[in-house]
Amino acid sequence: MGAPVLLLALTLFPVAAEASLEPHYMVVFPAVIHPSQEEKLCIHLSSLTEAVHLAVTLEMETKNHTLVEQDVEKPGTFECITFQVPELTPWETDASASQSEEVVFLHVLIHSDDSVLFEGRKKVLVKPQKNVILVETDKALYKPGETGKARR
């Protein structure tokens, strides 16, 4: 019983090996990004058979912002890239004020010299970071009439 199973496994191995040689692409990007702040995206490209060009663009209504543009040559590349999110201006969005949220698109293009290997477009929320003021006191709770002491 062991020999037929081993024979079956050996006959299926070349099929599985061929399937794993196809290029695989993964781009991880936050669903919410904040203007004028640094954000991070990560890429993983495996089983590359040739050098590819990666371009990641933030598509807004009137203007596109290129976040990443680079050539990737080696297979199994995993890299996290930091980029600066551009400040949204009222003429780039439907918003009348720069303090509102806006939905934009992230466009990822991976291509070789002669063909497009992957192209994807996803929605991303651009949301201004809210400032939070934290006041720390010397006690968790005060009784009515007690004087509070704040720390710097």
Side-chain angles (χ1 to χ4, degrees):
M1 182 171 165
V5 173
L6 179 61
L7 184 59
L8 178 63
L10 289 175
T11 57
L12 293 178
F13 180 75
V15 175
E18 284 179 24
S20 67
L21 292 178
E22 293 180 20
H24 297 282
Y25 314 102
M26 180 177 71
V27 178
V28 179
F29 194 84
V32 178
I33 58 175
H34 306 286
S36 299
Q37 291 192 357
E38 284 191 347
E39 298 285 351
K40 190 178 287 192
L41 72 92
C42 296
I43 60 165
H44 180 70
L45 307 175
S46 65
S47 302
L48 292 179
T49 56
E50 60 185 331
V52 296
H53 185 78
L54 169 71
V56 181
T57 307
L58 202 58
E59 296 179 344
M60 299 182 175
E61 264 193 44
T62 59
K63 186 177 181 183
N64 294 341
H65 297 275
T66 301
L67 302 178
V68 177
E69 191 157 351
Q70 71 182 45
D71 291 322
V72 180
E73 296 179 8
K74 59 183 179 174
T77 298
F78 179 81
E79 184 177 356
C80 290
I81 301 162
T82 302
F83 62 92
Q84 184 78 22
V85 179
E87 184 68 43
L88 295 179
T89 55
W91 60 84
E92 288 180 321
T93 66
D94 285 335
S96 58
S98 61
Q99 291 299 316
S100 64
E101 300 174 358
E102 188 66 30
V103 175
V104 298
F105 288 93
L106 179 76
H107 180 254
V108 178
L109 176 65
I110 300 172
H111 66 91
S112 62
D113 290 333
D114 54 349
S115 64
V116 173
L117 302 173
F118 174 79
E119 186 170 16
R121 194 169 180 253
K122 294 290 182 184
K123 290 181 182 179
V124 176
L125 180 64
V126 179
K127 184 177 182 178
Q129 186 76 26
K130 294 186 179 179
N131 293 329
V132 176
I133 298 174
L134 174 66
V135 178
E136 188 175 314
T137 61
D138 61 336
K139 292 180 8 180
L141 295 172
Y142 286 95
K143 294 179 183 172
E146 285 185 308
T147 303
K149 296 178 184 174
R151 297 181 188 168
R152 286 188 184 190

